[in-house]
Amino acid sequence: MTDRKLALETWESLFRAQHELFAAMAADFDGTAITQAEYDVLLTVVRSPEMTARLRDVTTNMLISQPSVSRLVDRMVARGLIQKCPDPDDGRGALIRATEEGARAFRAVATVHGRSIAQRMSKLDDDELRTLHELTQKLRGA
C-alpha cells in the first residue's frame, strides 16, 4: 500500500515544480506575436496533418475550459492566426487550420520556447528524463 504522507509530499513537490517551471517559462512569450494560450492551440494545430485539427482535439489538449477555448479560438480567427470551418465528418464539430501567419508566429516562438524547456530540463540527465516521462505518463493513465 502506498505511504499516504509520502504520496502527499510527492504530489506537492510535483505540483510546485510544474507551477514554478510554467511561471518561469511564461517569460518566453514576452514581446512575441502570440500568447502562451495561443501557442498551446497552435501546438496542436501545426503538428497535425495539413496543419488542421478538430476543435475537440484542441480542447482536449488545453488546460482551460471548453468555453474558454472557444473564445480563444474566435479571437485567434479574428487575428488571422487560424481559420475555423465546419467539420465535414461531424456536423456539430469544427476544424481549425493554421494560417501561414499563425504557423510562422508559432515557429518563431517554438524555437525560443524549445531552448528554454531544454535548458530548464537539463538539470536532469537522460535517464532521469526518461523515468520522469514514464512516471508522468503512468499518472496520466496513458
Side-chain angles (χ1 to χ4, degrees), residues 65-95:
S65 68
Q66 185 275 325
S68 296
V69 173
S70 294
R71 287 190 299 273
L72 174 60
V73 163
D74 289 342
R75 287 192 305 270
M76 291 176 72
V77 168
R79 290 189 52 213
L81 298 170
I82 57 176
Q83 298 170 331
K84 183 178 175 182
C85 55
D87 183 343
D89 298 328
D90 180 358
R92 297 172 293 149
L95 295 176

PDB file of all heavy atoms in Angstrom, residues 65-95:
ATOM      1  N   SER A  65     -11.122  25.541 -19.843  1.00  0.00           N
ATOM      2  CA  SER A  65     -12.449  25.005 -20.130  1.00  0.00           C
ATOM      3  C   SER A  65     -12.819  25.155 -21.603  1.00  0.00           C
ATOM      4  O   SER A  65     -12.286  26.009 -22.315  1.00  0.00           O
ATOM      5  CB  SER A  65     -13.490  25.716 -19.266  1.00  0.00           C
ATOM      6  OG  SER A  65     -13.618  27.061 -19.679  1.00  0.00           O
ATOM      7  N   GLN A  66     -13.778  24.336 -22.047  1.00  0.00           N
ATOM      8  CA  GLN A  66     -14.223  24.369 -23.441  1.00  0.00           C
ATOM      9  C   GLN A  66     -14.732  25.749 -23.846  1.00  0.00           C
ATOM     10  O   GLN A  66     -14.357  26.236 -24.922  1.00  0.00           O
ATOM     11  CB  GLN A  66     -15.279  23.277 -23.675  1.00  0.00           C
ATOM     12  CG  GLN A  66     -15.718  23.139 -25.119  1.00  0.00           C
ATOM     13  CD  GLN A  66     -16.836  24.102 -25.494  1.00  0.00           C
ATOM     14  OE1 GLN A  66     -17.701  24.412 -24.679  1.00  0.00           O
ATOM     15  NE2 GLN A  66     -16.805  24.572 -26.720  1.00  0.00           N
ATOM     16  N   PRO A  67     -15.560  26.430 -23.029  1.00  0.00           N
ATOM     17  CA  PRO A  67     -15.988  27.774 -23.437  1.00  0.00           C
ATOM     18  C   PRO A  67     -14.812  28.747 -23.584  1.00  0.00           C
ATOM     19  O   PRO A  67     -14.808  29.586 -24.490  1.00  0.00           O
ATOM     20  CB  PRO A  67     -16.942  28.210 -22.316  1.00  0.00           C
ATOM     21  CG  PRO A  67     -17.415  26.936 -21.703  1.00  0.00           C
ATOM     22  CD  PRO A  67     -16.257  25.980 -21.820  1.00  0.00           C
ATOM     23  N   SER A  68     -13.817  28.613 -22.726  1.00  0.00           N
ATOM     24  CA  SER A  68     -12.636  29.476 -22.824  1.00  0.00           C
ATOM     25  C   SER A  68     -11.862  29.188 -24.105  1.00  0.00           C
ATOM     26  O   SER A  68     -11.359  30.109 -24.757  1.00  0.00           O
ATOM     27  CB  SER A  68     -11.730  29.301 -21.617  1.00  0.00           C
ATOM     28  OG  SER A  68     -12.384  29.723 -20.438  1.00  0.00           O
ATOM     29  N   VAL A  69     -11.762  27.912 -24.476  1.00  0.00           N
ATOM     30  CA  VAL A  69     -11.083  27.547 -25.719  1.00  0.00           C
ATOM     31  C   VAL A  69     -11.835  28.131 -26.902  1.00  0.00           C
ATOM     32  O   VAL A  69     -11.229  28.692 -27.822  1.00  0.00           O
ATOM     33  CB  VAL A  69     -10.935  26.011 -25.864  1.00  0.00           C
ATOM     34  CG1 VAL A  69     -10.390  25.646 -27.244  1.00  0.00           C
ATOM     35  CG2 VAL A  69     -10.031  25.451 -24.779  1.00  0.00           C
ATOM     36  N   SER A  70     -13.156  28.025 -26.896  1.00  0.00           N
ATOM     37  CA  SER A  70     -13.962  28.565 -27.998  1.00  0.00           C
ATOM     38  C   SER A  70     -13.753  30.063 -28.157  1.00  0.00           C
ATOM     39  O   SER A  70     -13.595  30.560 -29.280  1.00  0.00           O
ATOM     40  CB  SER A  70     -15.445  28.264 -27.775  1.00  0.00           C
ATOM     41  OG  SER A  70     -15.667  26.868 -27.854  1.00  0.00           O
ATOM     42  N   ARG A  71     -13.729  30.791 -27.057  1.00  0.00           N
ATOM     43  CA  ARG A  71     -13.496  32.249 -27.123  1.00  0.00           C
ATOM     44  C   ARG A  71     -12.083  32.551 -27.634  1.00  0.00           C
ATOM     45  O   ARG A  71     -11.884  33.451 -28.444  1.00  0.00           O
ATOM     46  CB  ARG A  71     -13.742  32.896 -25.759  1.00  0.00           C
ATOM     47  CG  ARG A  71     -15.218  32.975 -25.383  1.00  0.00           C
ATOM     48  CD  ARG A  71     -15.456  33.826 -24.136  1.00  0.00           C
ATOM     49  NE  ARG A  71     -14.792  33.321 -22.957  1.00  0.00           N
ATOM     50  CZ  ARG A  71     -15.295  32.415 -22.120  1.00  0.00           C
ATOM     51  NH1 ARG A  71     -16.488  31.895 -22.353  1.00  0.00           N
ATOM     52  NH2 ARG A  71     -14.622  32.012 -21.066  1.00  0.00           N
ATOM     53  N   LEU A  72     -11.103  31.791 -27.159  1.00  0.00           N
ATOM     54  CA  LEU A  72      -9.726  31.965 -27.604  1.00  0.00           C
ATOM     55  C   LEU A  72      -9.613  31.701 -29.102  1.00  0.00           C
ATOM     56  O   LEU A  72      -8.985  32.479 -29.832  1.00  0.00           O
ATOM     57  CB  LEU A  72      -8.798  31.026 -26.822  1.00  0.00           C
ATOM     58  CG  LEU A  72      -7.330  30.976 -27.249  1.00  0.00           C
ATOM     59  CD1 LEU A  72      -6.673  32.346 -27.119  1.00  0.00           C
ATOM     60  CD2 LEU A  72      -6.593  29.925 -26.423  1.00  0.00           C
ATOM     61  N   VAL A  73     -10.224  30.627 -29.570  1.00  0.00           N
ATOM     62  CA  VAL A  73     -10.195  30.295 -30.997  1.00  0.00           C
ATOM     63  C   VAL A  73     -10.832  31.422 -31.810  1.00  0.00           C
ATOM     64  O   VAL A  73     -10.296  31.833 -32.840  1.00  0.00           O
ATOM     65  CB  VAL A  73     -10.883  28.929 -31.257  1.00  0.00           C
ATOM     66  CG1 VAL A  73     -11.235  28.740 -32.722  1.00  0.00           C
ATOM     67  CG2 VAL A  73      -9.994  27.793 -30.759  1.00  0.00           C
ATOM     68  N   ASP A  74     -11.952  31.948 -31.349  1.00  0.00           N
ATOM     69  CA  ASP A  74     -12.604  33.052 -32.071  1.00  0.00           C
ATOM     70  C   ASP A  74     -11.690  34.275 -32.147  1.00  0.00           C
ATOM     71  O   ASP A  74     -11.615  34.933 -33.194  1.00  0.00           O
ATOM     72  CB  ASP A  74     -13.935  33.421 -31.405  1.00  0.00           C
ATOM     73  CG  ASP A  74     -15.003  32.355 -31.609  1.00  0.00           C
ATOM     74  OD1 ASP A  74     -14.844  31.505 -32.522  1.00  0.00           O
ATOM     75  OD2 ASP A  74     -15.997  32.365 -30.847  1.00  0.00           O
ATOM     76  N   ARG A  75     -10.980  34.573 -31.066  1.00  0.00           N
ATOM     77  CA  ARG A  75     -10.039  35.712 -31.088  1.00  0.00           C
ATOM     78  C   ARG A  75      -8.886  35.441 -32.049  1.00  0.00           C
ATOM     79  O   ARG A  75      -8.427  36.344 -32.755  1.00  0.00           O
ATOM     80  CB  ARG A  75      -9.498  35.986 -29.679  1.00  0.00           C
ATOM     81  CG  ARG A  75     -10.511  36.622 -28.735  1.00  0.00           C
ATOM     82  CD  ARG A  75      -9.873  37.145 -27.450  1.00  0.00           C
ATOM     83  NE  ARG A  75      -9.109  36.158 -26.711  1.00  0.00           N
ATOM     84  CZ  ARG A  75      -9.591  35.359 -25.753  1.00  0.00           C
ATOM     85  NH1 ARG A  75     -10.870  35.442 -25.412  1.00  0.00           N
ATOM     86  NH2 ARG A  75      -8.809  34.515 -25.120  1.00  0.00           N
ATOM     87  N   MET A  76      -8.431  34.194 -32.093  1.00  0.00           N
ATOM     88  CA  MET A  76      -7.327  33.842 -32.995  1.00  0.00           C
ATOM     89  C   MET A  76      -7.768  33.907 -34.461  1.00  0.00           C
ATOM     90  O   MET A  76      -6.982  34.300 -35.326  1.00  0.00           O
ATOM     91  CB  MET A  76      -6.787  32.458 -32.644  1.00  0.00           C
ATOM     92  CG  MET A  76      -6.066  32.411 -31.306  1.00  0.00           C
ATOM     93  SD  MET A  76      -5.534  30.749 -30.841  1.00  0.00           S
ATOM     94  CE  MET A  76      -4.181  30.502 -31.999  1.00  0.00           C
ATOM     95  N   VAL A  77      -9.012  33.551 -34.734  1.00  0.00           N
ATOM     96  CA  VAL A  77      -9.561  33.685 -36.092  1.00  0.00           C
ATOM     97  C   VAL A  77      -9.572  35.165 -36.471  1.00  0.00           C
ATOM     98  O   VAL A  77      -9.127  35.544 -37.561  1.00  0.00           O
ATOM     99  CB  VAL A  77     -10.981  33.065 -36.189  1.00  0.00           C
ATOM    100  CG1 VAL A  77     -11.666  33.470 -37.492  1.00  0.00           C
ATOM    101  CG2 VAL A  77     -10.916  31.545 -36.067  1.00  0.00           C
ATOM    102  N   ALA A  78     -10.035  36.000 -35.558  1.00  0.00           N
ATOM    103  CA  ALA A  78     -10.094  37.440 -35.822  1.00  0.00           C
ATOM    104  C   ALA A  78      -8.705  38.033 -36.056  1.00  0.00           C
ATOM    105  O   ALA A  78      -8.557  38.974 -36.844  1.00  0.00           O
ATOM    106  CB  ALA A  78     -10.791  38.161 -34.661  1.00  0.00           C
ATOM    107  N   ARG A  79      -7.694  37.477 -35.424  1.00  0.00           N
ATOM    108  CA  ARG A  79      -6.314  37.964 -35.591  1.00  0.00           C
ATOM    109  C   ARG A  79      -5.628  37.374 -36.819  1.00  0.00           C
ATOM    110  O   ARG A  79      -4.506  37.735 -37.143  1.00  0.00           O
ATOM    111  CB  ARG A  79      -5.484  37.622 -34.351  1.00  0.00           C
ATOM    112  CG  ARG A  79      -5.897  38.436 -33.129  1.00  0.00           C
ATOM    113  CD  ARG A  79      -4.950  38.269 -31.972  1.00  0.00           C
ATOM    114  NE  ARG A  79      -3.581  38.523 -32.374  1.00  0.00           N
ATOM    115  CZ  ARG A  79      -2.524  37.907 -31.856  1.00  0.00           C
ATOM    116  NH1 ARG A  79      -2.675  37.017 -30.909  1.00  0.00           N
ATOM    117  NH2 ARG A  79      -1.306  38.197 -32.266  1.00  0.00           N
ATOM    118  N   GLY A  80      -6.289  36.426 -37.491  1.00  0.00           N
ATOM    119  CA  GLY A  80      -5.714  35.835 -38.692  1.00  0.00           C
ATOM    120  C   GLY A  80      -4.695  34.740 -38.425  1.00  0.00           C
ATOM    121  O   GLY A  80      -3.936  34.381 -39.322  1.00  0.00           O
ATOM    122  N   LEU A  81      -4.685  34.181 -37.213  1.00  0.00           N
ATOM    123  CA  LEU A  81      -3.735  33.122 -36.869  1.00  0.00           C
ATOM    124  C   LEU A  81      -4.232  31.742 -37.288  1.00  0.00           C
ATOM    125  O   LEU A  81      -3.434  30.844 -37.573  1.00  0.00           O
ATOM    126  CB  LEU A  81      -3.449  33.132 -35.367  1.00  0.00           C
ATOM    127  CG  LEU A  81      -2.796  34.404 -34.816  1.00  0.00           C
ATOM    128  CD1 LEU A  81      -2.787  34.386 -33.292  1.00  0.00           C
ATOM    129  CD2 LEU A  81      -1.390  34.558 -35.369  1.00  0.00           C
ATOM    130  N   ILE A  82      -5.547  31.573 -37.279  1.00  0.00           N
ATOM    131  CA  ILE A  82      -6.159  30.301 -37.651  1.00  0.00           C
ATOM    132  C   ILE A  82      -7.441  30.568 -38.427  1.00  0.00           C
ATOM    133  O   ILE A  82      -7.978  31.682 -38.404  1.00  0.00           O
ATOM    134  CB  ILE A  82      -6.483  29.418 -36.414  1.00  0.00           C
ATOM    135  CG1 ILE A  82      -7.399  30.158 -35.437  1.00  0.00           C
ATOM    136  CG2 ILE A  82      -5.222  28.927 -35.736  1.00  0.00           C
ATOM    137  CD1 ILE A  82      -7.845  29.321 -34.242  1.00  0.00           C
ATOM    138  N   GLN A  83      -7.928  29.520 -39.094  1.00  0.00           N
ATOM    139  CA  GLN A  83      -9.230  29.545 -39.751  1.00  0.00           C
ATOM    140  C   GLN A  83     -10.084  28.477 -39.096  1.00  0.00           C
ATOM    141  O   GLN A  83      -9.572  27.437 -38.662  1.00  0.00           O
ATOM    142  CB  GLN A  83      -9.098  29.235 -41.245  1.00  0.00           C
ATOM    143  CG  GLN A  83      -8.265  30.235 -42.004  1.00  0.00           C
ATOM    144  CD  GLN A  83      -7.967  29.741 -43.415  1.00  0.00           C
ATOM    145  OE1 GLN A  83      -7.901  28.548 -43.672  1.00  0.00           O
ATOM    146  NE2 GLN A  83      -7.780  30.686 -44.327  1.00  0.00           N
ATOM    147  N   LYS A  84     -11.371  28.734 -39.027  1.00  0.00           N
ATOM    148  CA  LYS A  84     -12.301  27.769 -38.436  1.00  0.00           C
ATOM    149  C   LYS A  84     -13.350  27.458 -39.493  1.00  0.00           C
ATOM    150  O   LYS A  84     -13.919  28.371 -40.096  1.00  0.00           O
ATOM    151  CB  LYS A  84     -12.943  28.390 -37.187  1.00  0.00           C
ATOM    152  CG  LYS A  84     -13.876  27.490 -36.434  1.00  0.00           C
ATOM    153  CD  LYS A  84     -14.391  28.237 -35.199  1.00  0.00           C
ATOM    154  CE  LYS A  84     -15.434  27.451 -34.461  1.00  0.00           C
ATOM    155  NZ  LYS A  84     -15.958  28.212 -33.305  1.00  0.00           N
ATOM    156  N   CYS A  85     -13.586  26.171 -39.733  1.00  0.00           N
ATOM    157  CA  CYS A  85     -14.592  25.784 -40.716  1.00  0.00           C
ATOM    158  C   CYS A  85     -15.330  24.539 -40.226  1.00  0.00           C
ATOM    159  O   CYS A  85     -14.846  23.838 -39.340  1.00  0.00           O
ATOM    160  CB  CYS A  85     -13.954  25.562 -42.082  1.00  0.00           C
ATOM    161  SG  CYS A  85     -12.608  24.375 -42.082  1.00  0.00           S
ATOM    162  N   PRO A  86     -16.500  24.271 -40.789  1.00  0.00           N
ATOM    163  CA  PRO A  86     -17.257  23.089 -40.365  1.00  0.00           C
ATOM    164  C   PRO A  86     -16.475  21.806 -40.644  1.00  0.00           C
ATOM    165  O   PRO A  86     -15.744  21.708 -41.619  1.00  0.00           O
ATOM    166  CB  PRO A  86     -18.527  23.137 -41.220  1.00  0.00           C
ATOM    167  CG  PRO A  86     -18.610  24.534 -41.731  1.00  0.00           C
ATOM    168  CD  PRO A  86     -17.202  25.053 -41.795  1.00  0.00           C
ATOM    169  N   ASP A  87     -16.654  20.828 -39.772  1.00  0.00           N
ATOM    170  CA  ASP A  87     -16.034  19.510 -39.941  1.00  0.00           C
ATOM    171  C   ASP A  87     -16.961  18.684 -40.827  1.00  0.00           C
ATOM    172  O   ASP A  87     -18.082  18.387 -40.429  1.00  0.00           O
ATOM    173  CB  ASP A  87     -15.849  18.850 -38.570  1.00  0.00           C
ATOM    174  CG  ASP A  87     -15.139  17.512 -38.635  1.00  0.00           C
ATOM    175  OD1 ASP A  87     -15.062  16.919 -39.734  1.00  0.00           O
ATOM    176  OD2 ASP A  87     -14.670  17.049 -37.584  1.00  0.00           O
ATOM    177  N   PRO A  88     -16.516  18.302 -42.024  1.00  0.00           N
ATOM    178  CA  PRO A  88     -17.387  17.547 -42.922  1.00  0.00           C
ATOM    179  C   PRO A  88     -17.780  16.170 -42.372  1.00  0.00           C
ATOM    180  O   PRO A  88     -18.780  15.608 -42.779  1.00  0.00           O
ATOM    181  CB  PRO A  88     -16.564  17.413 -44.210  1.00  0.00           C
ATOM    182  CG  PRO A  88     -15.159  17.644 -43.811  1.00  0.00           C
ATOM    183  CD  PRO A  88     -15.186  18.525 -42.592  1.00  0.00           C
ATOM    184  N   ASP A  89     -16.990  15.656 -41.426  1.00  0.00           N
ATOM    185  CA  ASP A  89     -17.279  14.342 -40.841  1.00  0.00           C
ATOM    186  C   ASP A  89     -18.118  14.416 -39.574  1.00  0.00           C
ATOM    187  O   ASP A  89     -18.533  13.391 -39.044  1.00  0.00           O
ATOM    188  CB  ASP A  89     -15.972  13.606 -40.538  1.00  0.00           C
ATOM    189  CG  ASP A  89     -15.157  13.340 -41.789  1.00  0.00           C
ATOM    190  OD1 ASP A  89     -15.764  13.139 -42.857  1.00  0.00           O
ATOM    191  OD2 ASP A  89     -13.913  13.341 -41.694  1.00  0.00           O
ATOM    192  N   ASP A  90     -18.317  15.625 -39.057  1.00  0.00           N
ATOM    193  CA  ASP A  90     -19.069  15.815 -37.809  1.00  0.00           C
ATOM    194  C   ASP A  90     -19.811  17.140 -37.911  1.00  0.00           C
ATOM    195  O   ASP A  90     -19.219  18.206 -37.720  1.00  0.00           O
ATOM    196  CB  ASP A  90     -18.114  15.813 -36.613  1.00  0.00           C
ATOM    197  CG  ASP A  90     -18.819  16.016 -35.277  1.00  0.00           C
ATOM    198  OD1 ASP A  90     -20.062  16.196 -35.248  1.00  0.00           O
ATOM    199  OD2 ASP A  90     -18.129  16.004 -34.243  1.00  0.00           O
ATOM    200  N   GLY A  91     -21.088  17.074 -38.215  1.00  0.00           N
ATOM    201  CA  GLY A  91     -21.886  18.278 -38.430  1.00  0.00           C
ATOM    202  C   GLY A  91     -21.890  19.250 -37.263  1.00  0.00           C
ATOM    203  O   GLY A  91     -22.126  20.444 -37.445  1.00  0.00           O
ATOM    204  N   ARG A  92     -21.635  18.761 -36.056  1.00  0.00           N
ATOM    205  CA  ARG A  92     -21.617  19.653 -34.886  1.00  0.00           C
ATOM    206  C   ARG A  92     -20.228  20.182 -34.587  1.00  0.00           C
ATOM    207  O   ARG A  92     -20.069  21.082 -33.782  1.00  0.00           O
ATOM    208  CB  ARG A  92     -22.153  18.917 -33.653  1.00  0.00           C
ATOM    209  CG  ARG A  92     -23.609  18.492 -33.799  1.00  0.00           C
ATOM    210  CD  ARG A  92     -24.049  17.615 -32.650  1.00  0.00           C
ATOM    211  NE  ARG A  92     -23.305  16.347 -32.736  1.00  0.00           N
ATOM    212  CZ  ARG A  92     -22.956  15.595 -31.706  1.00  0.00           C
ATOM    213  NH1 ARG A  92     -23.274  15.948 -30.493  1.00  0.00           N
ATOM    214  NH2 ARG A  92     -22.281  14.480 -31.873  1.00  0.00           N
ATOM    215  N   GLY A  93     -19.217  19.610 -35.228  1.00  0.00           N
ATOM    216  CA  GLY A  93     -17.831  19.962 -34.922  1.00  0.00           C
ATOM    217  C   GLY A  93     -17.263  20.999 -35.870  1.00  0.00           C
ATOM    218  O   GLY A  93     -17.907  21.434 -36.829  1.00  0.00           O
ATOM    219  N   ALA A  94     -16.050  21.390 -35.570  1.00  0.00           N
ATOM    220  CA  ALA A  94     -15.339  22.373 -36.400  1.00  0.00           C
ATOM    221  C   ALA A  94     -13.900  21.925 -36.582  1.00  0.00           C
ATOM    222  O   ALA A  94     -13.340  21.230 -35.735  1.00  0.00           O
ATOM    223  CB  ALA A  94     -15.375  23.744 -35.738  1.00  0.00           C
ATOM    224  N   LEU A  95     -13.333  22.336 -37.703  1.00  0.00           N
ATOM    225  CA  LEU A  95     -11.914  22.127 -37.967  1.00  0.00           C
ATOM    226  C   LEU A  95     -11.192  23.447 -37.786  1.00  0.00           C
ATOM    227  O   LEU A  95     -11.712  24.504 -38.144  1.00  0.00           O
ATOM    228  CB  LEU A  95     -11.690  21.619 -39.403  1.00  0.00           C
ATOM    229  CG  LEU A  95     -12.252  20.246 -39.737  1.00  0.00           C
ATOM    230  CD1 LEU A  95     -12.022  19.951 -41.213  1.00  0.00           C
ATOM    231  CD2 LEU A  95     -11.633  19.171 -38.863  1.00  0.00           C
TER     232      LEU A  95
END
